Amino acid sequence: MSKFTDLALEARELNPDIEGVTERHEQYGDITLTRINIESEQAAQKLDKLCGSYITLDAPRLIDRPLDLFDSTSQKLAEELNMFLKSLDAGAEVMVVGLGNRMITPDSLGPRVAERVYVTRHVKQYMPEAFDFPLYSVASIAPGVLGSTGVETLEAVKGITERVKPDLIIAIDSLASRRASRISTTVQLSDTGISPGSGVGNLRAGLNRETLGVPVIAIGVPLVVYASTIARDTISMIAEETGLHKDEQKLISLAEKVIDEKMDGMIVTPKDIDSIVEDMAGIISHAVNMALFGKHYEEVRMLIA
Amino acid sequence: MSKFTDLALEARELNPDIEGVTERHEQYGDITLTRINIESEQAAQKLDKLCGSYITLDAPRLIDRPLDLFDSTSQKLAEELNMFLKSLDAGAEVMVVGLGNRMITPDSLGPRVAERVYVTRHVKQYMPEAFDFPLYSVASIAPGVLGSTGVETLEAVKGITERVKPDLIIAIDSLASRRASRISTTVQLSDTGISPGSGVGNLRAGLNRETLGVPVIAIGVPLVVYASTIARDTISMIAEETGLHKDEQKLISLAEKVIDEKMDGMIVTPKDIDSIVEDMAGIISHAVNMALFGKHYEEVRMLIA
Amino acid sequence: MSKFTDLALEARELNPDIEGVTERHEQYGDITLTRINIESEQAAQKLDKLCGSYITLDAPRLIDRPLDLFDSTSQKLAEELNMFLKSLDAGAEVMVVGLGNRMITPDSLGPRVAERVYVTRHVKQYMPEAFDFPLYSVASIAPGVLGSTGVETLEAVKGITERVKPDLIIAIDSLASRRASRISTTVQLSDTGISPGSGVGNLRAGLNRETLGVPVIAIGVPLVVYASTIARDTISMIAEETGLHKDEQKLISLAEKVIDEKMDGMIVTPKDIDSIVEDMAGIISHAVNMALFGKHYEEVRMLIA
Amino acid sequence: MSKFTDLALEARELNPDIEGVTERHEQYGDITLTRINIESEQAAQKLDKLCGSYITLDAPRLIDRPLDLFDSTSQKLAEELNMFLKSLDAGAEVMVVGLGNRMITPDSLGPRVAERVYVTRHVKQYMPEAFDFPLYSVASIAPGVLGSTGVETLEAVKGITERVKPDLIIAIDSLASRRASRISTTVQLSDTGISPGSGVGNLRAGLNRETLGVPVIAIGVPLVVYASTIARDTISMIAEETGLHKDEQKLISLAEKVIDEKMDGMIVTPKDIDSIVEDMAGIISHAVNMALFGKHYEEVRMLIA
């Protein structure tokens, strides 16, 4: 039975005893930060994730939308993102890529963040005198999804990458989780790029250093649980509680039946997903802007907006 | 175990042998029309629906969004709606009420239809000479939901009804179904008004002839399946297939556990719910406009828009 | 030549010498606050405004959207609004009414504010134990506009007022100004209600203590300049500079010609009106929430959202 | 005094006597079709347009939004567009490019059309067996605008063009007109691509065969009149009527004064621009889909949607 999740944290929970993985937990007020490093190819394969560093911010209280926690989550995310920016030169080129489909609410996180990131590339190019302090040259695009453009996301991003020649890409995407309770309460940051086949929009080819020739930092928020995951979980739970799990084959065929009949293409989502996505886009874009512009944040904002 | 559904058709399927219910099926091309009449109070209680007439249009092929079927579904709905308008005087007052929350996509059907209905009431009042043919005086409101207004929908509608004094109300609402496959493929029309507790928005008090003093025709489209329904169904199915159903109590507690942990407030929805709701709002509002204005439809449109 | 404006401040500027009007200016950082009191019926008629108190907050720097000024404008507006709430009992009923058309961007301020105000009326009614401190019972409605509902705004508000029985109404509306530079930089607060014929939505009958039997506080933001105003102003300016104003009649007929040919129903608006309206809705709703809930603001927010 | 317009038709009206331009009018029911060919470089320079063929569809009655005229305008546009597709091979690659900013209503025509065009490129690539008839391989992108992406539109389109290698590009854009009455009633089709500096979004570099290496068909709809155009026109009109035009210099300085003070960055737009843009996006995308897929139109729609 497939155990699909975009979160390294959940993949780890399902395989707690695999070697080649380190895991560390830190607590910052309401936020639990988990650092998972996948260090061996073997571990990577078992977890169905790439080798690299995964940082998860979990703040269950975000479900109540308290303004102060929005702020501190954004702040913490900016700090962690900053670590990944350390090696960049002062005037480096950074390209933000908002993945997903603007027209499908739970898949619209990427485009919504992309449009809120402060872009400076054109100002540095055409009015270099506007900024009297060194800052990154930031571009921000939303390439759309294969189903609406007819163009693979990787192809589109490659094409623009060759023109813009960024030193680093920050990719934003909606993720699929295994638990509805994670929707709107979790952010994953990683240095591995976007995995093939992940996300709501079913990106086919991965976006990472191998495919794009540039390091790709990924920021994702679980906004979707596949209805089929819920069905499979329900069945597993019953199987365990009733001793039915001895008859594995029967279970599998039951699951397939339920899923085929009732849940094909369906997702489980909170009723107020529209405002949740908007809030999370605010948190992420604020973090990205703070990480990219630091103390010049407000200044850049005024010049750009 | 609760068997909640807003559709008389599904309530009937769960209780096929109850007396006091008549059921008739008709086929029109791709559309299956089912007429269910709940005739006794006893039957009404068992089905958890009011006595009255329920007409269901089912067109599974609507899932592919073929333009011709949009048109014929709209047409058929207009014809059936027309039957309910027969007793009205030529210049009668009709008030369309779009129920639900504009800001929550699957709950936004009512407000979306309300804003597309052609209103003539003010034109008849202020420029009576604009129309040289008799036509209904149509008003169309979207009163919002308790959670965002602080005002019971019934209170708000009552307040406006006392001012507008319509001869008939047509209420539009999103419905909850038991099957994801019904989302976007079914329309229910009935002369019983809106039932208490139905809909996504959890209307507390019913809108009907008793509460409003005017006949209330209801048009609803299933746009939501509660995740808890899916979980309960999965469990039922397994129970039946495995003989587990003998142990009813254990099942119930299992269901509660799954639901509490994973699915509180969650709904199951297709990924492209945004465009589905928009399409269904088009079908319903077109039907309402055709039923209300008949052969003067295009003329009214031009004068009003 | 008509000198139409919804702002008392602009009406005063056009008639600086009329008696029966007091005017006071105060400066708070970037915000200029002007208090205009229209005290005689004669003055009121000349200014085409009702007798009463008009407070205008002007902050030209708002055009750059600096976050700190959003905050201080909101704060100042809340303070001034608070003055008007002083006479209310601790548990009084307040109804916010968001006027205008949700579907027309510059006219959507009212509905956008209405949906962001924290409503407590239903919670106090159904779960009185939720709040262990006294607070207003707040309802918030958006009745729509005559052209889309067929119902006069006054009728709809009256109908709901009779049910909700508020002690005070706070009405929010988009205003028409004479100067494009005022769009997004000015807020007008007054105790006179909404004037007949004002606003983008062309409300016919006024909302005020006479028509509703309850005091009506109005908050408005200029979001529109009629294109005809610009044309008329251009002509006036030329007339003055060229000595052409001696030939008044010719000027008037010229103006009519230009306006009829080119500008009927047109408005002048900034290109980014969408985000301007959203920002102003944030400032106003934040001020209303702070004024209504004071130190319990965050608590109410968490309980309600 | 600048006479800026994106329409060849208006440029011609301002310069009716220039040589090297042919002009032909045809009438189809409510639609006036004008064919303007700019044939000499000299004429091109005077009109501030590129040499080539410009087809304008003018249907003043579109302002009433009659459904039948939507349909016939779409049909006529498809026919004319078809002429430009004649030389393409049966299975050619076509790329639709929706220019403009999704977040600014009058500038959102391009992106709205792009998302409604039926894309077949990925289906032909991954499931070639899906279509048993020859058809174009269609991709459809919306590259965003410089101000929000930091990337020149031309750069982005070039990057993707090098990957997708289309045989033809169809670019969609909002245009600036000199007359408010043209908004929503006119469509311009041309084989010259998109001119530098045109459009609401102020594209700097042109998209055409020279810059992209592929023929570029442009479809544009006037959705904006600059407020400064209105002011300049008002002044011109007065000047002519009053004999003031003898004093040209004074006029110019007057115009600059009015424009600087009141209208910088302002546009003139109808109040219901939101629904106008949506309607025009429907007309254009329908025409593009009909032109691209001809009799297989409905078949492709069902397979793709």
Side-chain angles (χ1 to χ4, degrees):
Chain A
M1 234 176 289
S2 152
K3 304 278 190 187
F4 184 74
T5 174
D6 283 319
L7 292 172
L9 187 69
E10 292 187 342
R12 177 60 174 170
E13 283 169 1
L14 293 169
N15 302 277
D17 304 322
I18 284 173
E19 283 184 27
V21 182
T22 68
E23 190 177 341
R24 212 171 73 210
H25 301 272
E26 300 164 18
Q27 194 70 29
Y28 301 92
D30 285 315
I31 305 166
T32 308
L33 189 151
T34 308
R35 299 182 195 279
I36 289 175
N37 285 300
I38 304 181
E39 286 162 351
S40 75
E41 261 314 315
Q42 223 177 350
Q45 251 174 29
K46 279 193 186 140
L47 298 184
D48 195 20
K49 297 275 159 286
L50 293 178
C51 280
S53 172
Y54 297 84
I55 296 160
T56 313
L57 276 67
D58 243 322
R61 205 164 64 77
L62 272 176
I63 220 161
D64 297 327
R65 304 200 195 160
L67 293 181
D68 62 319
L69 191 50
F70 277 14
D71 222 61
S72 53
T73 307
S74 211
Q75 201 84 39
K76 193 75 212 152
L77 181 58
E79 276 172 37
E80 294 296 325
L81 183 52
N82 243 328
M83 298 299 186
F84 290 120
L85 305 179
K86 265 187 185 163
S87 55
L88 288 179
D89 287 341
E93 298 270 341
V94 175
M95 187 163 84
V96 174
V97 180
L99 299 165
N101 187 344
R102 189 70 174 89
M103 296 298 114
I104 291 183
T105 307
D107 198 29
S108 65
L109 179 76
R112 287 184 202 227
V113 171
E115 80 202 17
R116 292 182 181 200
V117 167
Y118 305 151
V119 294
T120 54
R121 183 172 174 268
H122 59 310
V123 185
K124 287 187 69 174
Q125 221 167 350
Y126 297 110
M127 297 190 297
E129 71 288 357
F131 304 109
D132 56 356
F133 44 86
L135 86 170
Y136 298 134
S137 165
V138 177
S140 181
I141 62 167
V145 296
L146 182 63
S148 0
T149 64
V151 183
E152 284 271 10
T153 305
L154 177 59
E155 273 181 287
V157 176
K158 247 186 190 162
I160 296 173
T161 296
E162 274 159 22
R163 294 269 148 195
V164 173
K165 298 194 199 312
D167 302 300
L168 179 84
I169 286 174
I170 301 176
I172 321 290
D173 203 4
S174 299
L175 304 179
S177 160
R178 296 182 54 73
R179 293 202 212 141
S181 63
R182 283 215 194 280
I183 292 174
S184 84
T185 66
T186 297
V187 182
Q188 174 176 280
L189 172 68
S190 90
D191 62 1
T192 59
I194 300 285
S195 295
S198 77
V200 182
N202 269 327
L203 186 70
R204 275 156 212 253
L207 301 187
N208 50 49
R209 190 194 287 261
E210 277 67 48
T211 56
L212 289 168
V214 198
V216 181
I217 306 296
I219 304 177
V221 177
L223 286 169
V224 148
V225 176
Y226 291 109
S228 53
T229 301
I230 301 275
R232 288 196 180 93
D233 276 9
T234 309
I235 292 169
S236 296
M237 187 182 300
I238 295 174
E240 265 167 57
E241 304 247 349
T242 59
L244 202 78
H245 60 280
K246 289 159 209 158
D247 193 352
E248 184 94 5
Q249 205 46 51
K250 194 168 176 186
L251 260 185
I252 291 175
S253 71
L254 258 176
E256 301 304 330
K257 189 177 160 191
V258 172
I259 291 159
D260 288 0
E261 275 176 24
K262 303 208 165 186
M263 271 159 279
D264 187 37
M266 292 287 148
I267 57 175
V268 172
T269 191
K271 277 201 294 183
D272 53 346
I273 183 71
D274 303 77
S275 47
I276 284 176
V277 174
E278 194 59 18
D279 284 347
M280 295 311 291
I283 291 177
I284 308 286
S285 58
H286 190 56
V288 170
N289 286 328
M290 284 191 297
L292 290 176
F293 301 115
K295 63 181 177 181
H296 296 298
Y297 168 78
E298 184 71 5
E299 236 167 315
V300 170
R301 190 183 169 283
M302 301 272 300
L303 275 159
I304 294 304
Chain B
M1 236 175 289
S2 153
K3 303 278 190 188
F4 183 74
T5 174
D6 282 319
L7 292 171
L9 187 69
E10 292 187 341
R12 177 60 175 170
E13 282 169 3
L14 292 169
N15 302 277
D17 303 322
I18 284 174
E19 284 185 25
V21 182
T22 67
E23 190 177 343
R24 212 171 72 207
H25 300 273
E26 300 164 19
Q27 193 70 30
Y28 302 92
D30 284 315
I31 304 165
T32 307
L33 189 152
T34 308
R35 298 181 196 280
I36 290 175
N37 285 300
I38 304 181
E39 287 162 350
S40 76
E41 260 314 316
Q42 224 179 349
Q45 252 173 30
K46 280 193 185 143
L47 298 184
D48 194 21
K49 298 275 159 286
L50 293 179
C51 281
S53 172
Y54 296 84
I55 297 162
T56 313
L57 276 68
D58 242 321
R61 206 164 63 78
L62 272 176
I63 219 162
D64 297 328
R65 303 201 197 159
L67 293 180
D68 61 320
L69 191 51
F70 277 14
D71 222 61
S72 53
T73 307
S74 211
Q75 201 84 40
K76 193 74 213 155
L77 181 59
E79 277 171 37
E80 294 296 326
L81 183 53
N82 243 326
M83 298 298 188
F84 290 121
L85 304 179
K86 264 187 184 164
S87 56
L88 288 179
D89 288 339
E93 298 271 341
V94 175
M95 186 162 84
V96 174
V97 179
L99 299 164
N101 187 343
R102 189 69 175 88
M103 295 299 115
I104 291 182
T105 306
D107 198 29
S108 65
L109 179 75
R112 288 183 201 228
V113 170
E115 80 202 18
R116 293 179 178 206
V117 166
Y118 304 152
V119 293
T120 54
R121 181 170 174 268
H122 59 311
V123 185
K124 287 187 70 174
Q125 223 168 348
Y126 297 109
M127 297 191 296
E129 70 289 356
F131 304 109
D132 56 356
F133 44 87
L135 86 170
Y136 298 135
S137 164
V138 177
S140 181
I141 62 166
V145 296
L146 181 63
S148 0
T149 63
V151 183
E152 283 270 10
T153 307
L154 177 60
E155 274 181 287
V157 176
K158 246 185 189 164
I160 297 174
T161 296
E162 274 159 23
R163 294 270 148 193
V164 173
K165 298 194 198 313
D167 302 299
L168 179 84
I169 287 175
I170 301 176
I172 321 290
D173 203 3
S174 298
L175 304 178
S177 161
R178 296 183 53 75
R179 292 200 213 143
S181 63
R182 283 213 195 280
I183 293 173
S184 84
T185 66
T186 297
V187 182
Q188 174 175 280
L189 173 67
S190 90
D191 61 2
T192 59
I194 300 285
S195 293
S198 77
V200 182
N202 270 329
L203 187 69
R204 276 155 211 253
L207 300 187
N208 50 49
R209 189 194 288 261
E210 276 67 47
T211 55
L212 288 168
V214 197
V216 180
I217 306 296
I219 304 177
V221 176
L223 286 169
V224 148
V225 177
Y226 290 108
S228 53
T229 302
I230 301 274
R232 288 197 179 93
D233 276 10
T234 309
I235 292 168
S236 295
M237 189 182 298
I238 294 173
E240 265 168 56
E241 303 244 351
T242 59
L244 201 77
H245 61 279
K246 289 159 208 156
D247 195 353
E248 184 92 4
Q249 205 46 51
K250 193 167 176 185
L251 262 185
I252 290 174
S253 71
L254 257 176
E256 301 304 331
K257 189 178 159 189
V258 173
I259 292 157
D260 287 359
E261 275 175 26
K262 304 206 165 188
M263 270 158 280
D264 187 37
M266 292 287 146
I267 57 176
V268 172
T269 192
K271 278 202 292 182
D272 53 346
I273 183 71
D274 303 76
S275 47
I276 284 176
V277 174
E278 194 60 19
D279 284 348
M280 295 311 292
I283 290 177
I284 308 285
S285 58
H286 191 57
V288 170
N289 286 328
M290 284 193 296
L292 290 175
F293 301 116
K295 62 180 180 185
H296 296 297
Y297 167 78
E298 185 71 5
E299 235 166 315
V300 170
R301 191 183 167 283
M302 302 272 300
L303 275 160
I304 295 305
Chain C
M1 233 176 290
S2 152
K3 303 277 191 190
F4 184 74
T5 173
D6 283 320
L7 291 171
L9 186 68
E10 292 187 341
R12 178 60 173 170
E13 282 169 2
L14 293 168
N15 302 277
D17 304 322
I18 284 173
E19 282 184 26
V21 181
T22 68
E23 190 176 341
R24 211 172 72 208
H25 301 272
E26 301 164 17
Q27 193 71 28
Y28 301 93
D30 286 314
I31 305 165
T32 307
L33 190 151
T34 308
R35 299 181 196 279
I36 289 176
N37 286 300
I38 304 181
E39 286 162 351
S40 75
E41 261 314 315
Q42 225 178 350
Q45 249 172 32
K46 280 192 186 141
L47 298 183
D48 194 21
K49 296 278 160 282
L50 294 178
C51 280
S53 172
Y54 297 83
I55 297 160
T56 314
L57 276 66
D58 243 320
R61 205 164 64 77
L62 272 176
I63 220 162
D64 297 327
R65 303 201 196 158
L67 292 181
D68 61 319
L69 191 50
F70 278 14
D71 222 61
S72 53
T73 307
S74 211
Q75 201 84 40
K76 193 75 212 153
L77 181 59
E79 276 171 36
E80 294 296 326
L81 183 52
N82 243 327
M83 299 297 189
F84 290 120
L85 304 180
K86 264 186 184 163
S87 55
L88 287 180
D89 289 339
E93 299 270 340
V94 175
M95 188 162 83
V96 174
V97 180
L99 298 164
N101 187 344
R102 189 69 175 90
M103 295 297 114
I104 291 181
T105 306
D107 197 28
S108 65
L109 179 76
R112 287 184 203 227
V113 171
E115 79 202 19
R116 292 181 180 202
V117 166
Y118 304 151
V119 294
T120 53
R121 181 170 175 269
H122 58 311
V123 185
K124 286 187 71 174
Q125 219 167 352
Y126 297 110
M127 297 192 296
E129 71 288 358
F131 304 110
D132 55 357
F133 45 86
L135 86 171
Y136 298 135
S137 165
V138 177
S140 182
I141 63 166
V145 296
L146 181 63
S148 358
T149 64
V151 183
E152 285 270 12
T153 306
L154 177 60
E155 273 182 287
V157 176
K158 245 185 191 164
I160 296 174
T161 295
E162 275 160 22
R163 295 269 150 195
V164 173
K165 299 194 196 312
D167 302 299
L168 179 84
I169 287 174
I170 300 175
I172 321 290
D173 204 3
S174 298
L175 304 178
S177 161
R178 295 181 54 75
R179 293 202 211 141
S181 63
R182 282 212 194 282
I183 293 176
S184 82
T185 67
T186 297
V187 182
Q188 175 175 278
L189 173 68
S190 90
D191 61 1
T192 58
I194 300 285
S195 293
S198 77
V200 182
N202 268 328
L203 188 69
R204 275 157 212 252
L207 300 188
N208 50 48
R209 190 194 287 261
E210 277 66 49
T211 55
L212 289 168
V214 198
V216 180
I217 306 297
I219 304 176
V221 176
L223 287 168
V224 147
V225 176
Y226 290 108
S228 53
T229 301
I230 301 274
R232 288 197 180 94
D233 276 8
T234 309
I235 292 168
S236 296
M237 187 180 301
I238 294 174
E240 266 166 56
E241 305 245 348
T242 60
L244 201 79
H245 61 280
K246 290 159 209 156
D247 194 352
E248 183 95 5
Q249 204 47 51
K250 194 169 177 185
L251 259 185
I252 289 175
S253 72
L254 256 175
E256 301 304 331
K257 189 178 160 191
V258 172
I259 290 158
D260 287 359
E261 274 176 27
K262 303 207 165 190
M263 271 158 280
D264 186 36
M266 292 287 147
I267 56 175
V268 172
T269 191
K271 277 202 293 182
D272 53 345
I273 183 71
D274 303 77
S275 47
I276 283 176
V277 175
E278 194 59 18
D279 284 348
M280 295 311 290
I283 290 177
I284 308 286
S285 57
H286 191 56
V288 171
N289 286 328
M290 283 192 297
L292 291 176
F293 301 116
K295 62 179 179 182
H296 296 298
Y297 168 77
E298 184 71 6
E299 234 166 317
V300 170
R301 191 183 168 283
M302 302 272 302
L303 274 159
I304 294 305
Chain D
M1 233 176 291
S2 151
K3 303 276 190 191
F4 184 73
T5 172
D6 284 319
L7 293 171
L9 186 69
E10 292 187 341
R12 178 60 175 171
E13 284 169 1
L14 292 169
N15 302 277
D17 304 322
I18 285 173
E19 282 185 28
V21 181
T22 68
E23 191 177 340
R24 213 172 72 209
H25 300 274
E26 300 165 18
Q27 194 70 29
Y28 302 92
D30 285 315
I31 305 165
T32 307
L33 190 152
T34 309
R35 297 180 197 281
I36 290 174
N37 285 301
I38 305 180
E39 285 163 354
S40 76
E41 261 315 314
Q42 224 178 350
Q45 249 172 34
K46 281 194 186 139
L47 297 184
D48 194 21
K49 297 275 159 286
L50 293 179
C51 282
S53 172
Y54 296 83
I55 297 161
T56 312
L57 277 68
D58 242 320
R61 206 166 61 76
L62 271 176
I63 220 163
D64 297 327
R65 305 203 194 156
L67 292 182
D68 61 319
L69 190 51
F70 276 14
D71 222 60
S72 54
T73 307
S74 211
Q75 201 84 39
K76 193 74 210 151
L77 181 59
E79 275 171 37
E80 294 297 326
L81 183 52
N82 243 326
M83 298 299 189
F84 290 120
L85 304 180
K86 262 187 186 164
S87 56
L88 287 180
D89 288 339
E93 299 271 339
V94 176
M95 188 162 83
V96 174
V97 179
L99 298 164
N101 186 344
R102 188 70 174 88
M103 295 299 113
I104 291 182
T105 306
D107 198 28
S108 65
L109 179 76
R112 287 184 202 228
V113 170
E115 80 202 18
R116 292 181 180 203
V117 166
Y118 304 152
V119 293
T120 54
R121 183 172 174 267
H122 59 311
V123 185
K124 286 187 72 175
Q125 220 168 350
Y126 297 110
M127 297 192 296
E129 71 288 357
F131 304 109
D132 56 357
F133 46 85
L135 86 171
Y136 298 136
S137 165
V138 177
S140 181
I141 62 166
V145 297
L146 181 64
S148 358
T149 65
V151 183
E152 283 271 11
T153 306
L154 177 60
E155 274 182 286
V157 175
K158 246 186 191 163
I160 297 174
T161 296
E162 273 159 23
R163 296 268 148 195
V164 172
K165 299 193 196 313
D167 302 300
L168 179 85
I169 287 174
I170 301 175
I172 321 289
D173 204 3
S174 299
L175 303 179
S177 161
R178 294 181 56 74
R179 292 203 212 138
S181 63
R182 284 214 194 280
I183 293 176
S184 83
T185 66
T186 297
V187 183
Q188 174 176 278
L189 172 68
S190 91
D191 61 1
T192 59
I194 300 286
S195 294
S198 76
V200 181
N202 271 327
L203 187 70
R204 274 156 213 252
L207 301 187
N208 50 50
R209 191 195 288 262
E210 277 65 49
T211 55
L212 289 169
V214 197
V216 181
I217 305 297
I219 304 177
V221 176
L223 286 169
V224 148
V225 176
Y226 290 108
S228 53
T229 301
I230 301 274
R232 290 197 178 92
D233 276 10
T234 308
I235 292 167
S236 296
M237 188 181 300
I238 294 173
E240 265 168 56
E241 304 244 351
T242 59
L244 201 78
H245 61 279
K246 289 160 208 156
D247 194 353
E248 184 96 2
Q249 206 44 53
K250 193 168 176 185
L251 261 186
I252 289 174
S253 71
L254 256 175
E256 301 305 330
K257 189 179 161 189
V258 172
I259 290 159
D260 286 359
E261 273 177 26
K262 303 206 165 189
M263 269 159 282
D264 187 36
M266 292 286 147
I267 56 176
V268 172
T269 190
K271 278 201 293 183
D272 53 346
I273 183 70
D274 303 78
S275 46
I276 284 176
V277 174
E278 193 60 19
D279 284 348
M280 295 312 289
I283 291 177
I284 308 286
S285 58
H286 191 56
V288 171
N289 286 328
M290 284 192 296
L292 290 175
F293 302 115
K295 63 179 178 182
H296 296 298
Y297 168 77
E298 184 71 6
E299 237 167 312
V300 170
R301 191 182 168 285
M302 302 271 302
L303 275 159
I304 294 305

XYZ file of all heavy atoms in Angstrom, chain B residues 298 302, chain D residues 30 58-70 72 184-185:
152
model
N -34.197 37.247 -23.607
C -33.100 38.032 -24.186
C -33.384 39.540 -24.079
O -32.489 40.337 -23.771
C -32.851 37.617 -25.640
C -31.652 38.294 -26.324
C -30.279 37.830 -25.805
O -30.238 36.880 -24.957
O -29.273 38.385 -26.212
N -31.031 42.382 -22.121
C -30.464 43.577 -22.728
C -30.842 44.831 -21.941
O -30.035 45.743 -21.771
C -30.966 43.712 -24.160
C -30.665 42.544 -25.043
S -29.039 42.717 -25.816
C -29.311 44.258 -26.704
N -23.630 43.703 -37.415
C -23.279 44.804 -36.511
C -21.783 45.108 -36.482
O -21.357 46.030 -35.798
C -23.714 44.454 -35.073
C -25.215 44.582 -34.898
O -25.760 45.592 -35.364
O -25.818 43.677 -34.305
N -15.005 46.279 -35.179
C -15.655 47.296 -34.357
C -17.125 46.921 -34.234
O -17.811 46.783 -35.236
C -15.570 48.651 -35.097
C -14.790 49.660 -34.306
O -14.950 49.702 -33.079
O -14.020 50.391 -34.954
N -17.600 46.782 -33.010
C -19.018 46.438 -32.841
C -19.570 47.219 -31.664
O -19.656 46.707 -30.551
C -19.172 44.937 -32.642
N -19.953 48.485 -31.916
C -20.398 49.354 -30.813
C -21.504 48.717 -29.969
O -21.595 48.968 -28.773
C -20.909 50.608 -31.547
C -20.185 50.618 -32.848
C -19.968 49.179 -33.210
N -22.320 47.865 -30.596
C -23.427 47.269 -29.848
C -22.943 46.243 -28.792
O -23.719 45.812 -27.920
C -24.427 46.621 -30.816
C -25.858 46.538 -30.242
C -26.909 46.229 -31.288
N -26.748 44.962 -31.962
C -27.060 43.764 -31.414
N -27.548 43.693 -30.200
N -26.888 42.666 -32.107
N -21.668 45.865 -28.864
C -21.111 44.958 -27.849
C -21.267 45.541 -26.445
O -21.262 44.823 -25.453
C -19.621 44.695 -28.118
C -19.294 43.514 -29.037
C -17.803 43.453 -29.288
C -19.804 42.201 -28.484
N -21.404 46.852 -26.374
C -21.517 47.509 -25.073
C -22.755 47.036 -24.302
O -22.776 47.026 -23.070
C -21.486 49.049 -25.241
C -20.662 49.651 -24.110
C -22.885 49.645 -25.322
C -20.210 51.067 -24.356
N -23.759 46.558 -25.028
C -24.956 46.011 -24.374
C -24.818 44.533 -24.035
O -25.743 43.930 -23.494
C -26.182 46.171 -25.288
C -26.498 47.620 -25.566
O -26.259 48.451 -24.679
O -26.990 47.905 -26.679
N -23.695 43.924 -24.441
C -23.436 42.503 -24.170
C -24.510 41.537 -24.677
O -24.970 40.681 -23.931
C -23.282 42.294 -22.658
C -22.216 43.186 -22.082
C -21.724 42.583 -20.821
N -20.959 43.561 -20.085
C -20.768 43.545 -18.786
N -21.267 42.563 -18.078
N -20.053 44.454 -18.194
N -24.872 41.677 -25.921
C -25.841 40.713 -26.440
C -25.125 39.415 -26.799
O -24.109 39.421 -27.488
C -26.375 41.391 -27.708
C -25.344 42.406 -28.080
C -24.413 42.616 -26.935
N -25.670 38.285 -26.320
C -25.006 36.990 -26.512
C -24.764 36.668 -27.981
O -23.725 36.117 -28.339
C -25.846 35.884 -25.870
C -25.928 35.938 -24.347
C -26.742 34.784 -23.816
C -24.531 35.930 -23.739
N -25.735 37.026 -28.834
C -25.575 36.669 -30.248
C -24.394 37.398 -30.871
O -23.674 36.853 -31.701
C -26.872 36.962 -31.021
C -27.212 38.448 -30.967
O -27.045 39.062 -29.890
O -27.613 39.012 -32.003
N -24.166 38.627 -30.451
C -23.061 39.402 -31.020
C -21.715 38.905 -30.453
O -20.702 38.917 -31.160
C -23.256 40.894 -30.749
C -22.319 41.875 -31.469
C -22.275 41.618 -32.962
C -22.751 43.310 -31.207
N -21.703 38.455 -29.219
C -20.513 37.796 -28.673
C -20.109 36.693 -29.640
O -18.969 36.565 -30.041
C -20.816 37.162 -27.322
C -20.721 38.093 -26.153
C -20.665 39.472 -26.325
C -20.695 37.607 -24.848
C -20.581 40.334 -25.245
C -20.608 38.461 -23.761
C -20.554 39.823 -23.956
N -21.056 36.098 -32.829
C -20.681 36.409 -34.208
C -19.341 37.145 -34.261
O -18.589 36.996 -35.212
C -21.794 37.174 -34.934
O -22.169 38.316 -34.205
N -14.184 47.627 -24.849
C -15.120 46.496 -24.912
C -15.861 46.381 -26.232
O -16.699 45.499 -26.390
C -16.157 46.557 -23.774
O -17.230 47.409 -24.103
N -15.572 47.237 -27.203
C -16.326 47.128 -28.463
C -15.421 46.876 -29.671
O -15.916 46.794 -30.786
C -17.129 48.424 -28.738
O -16.199 49.483 -28.967
C -18.025 48.783 -27.568
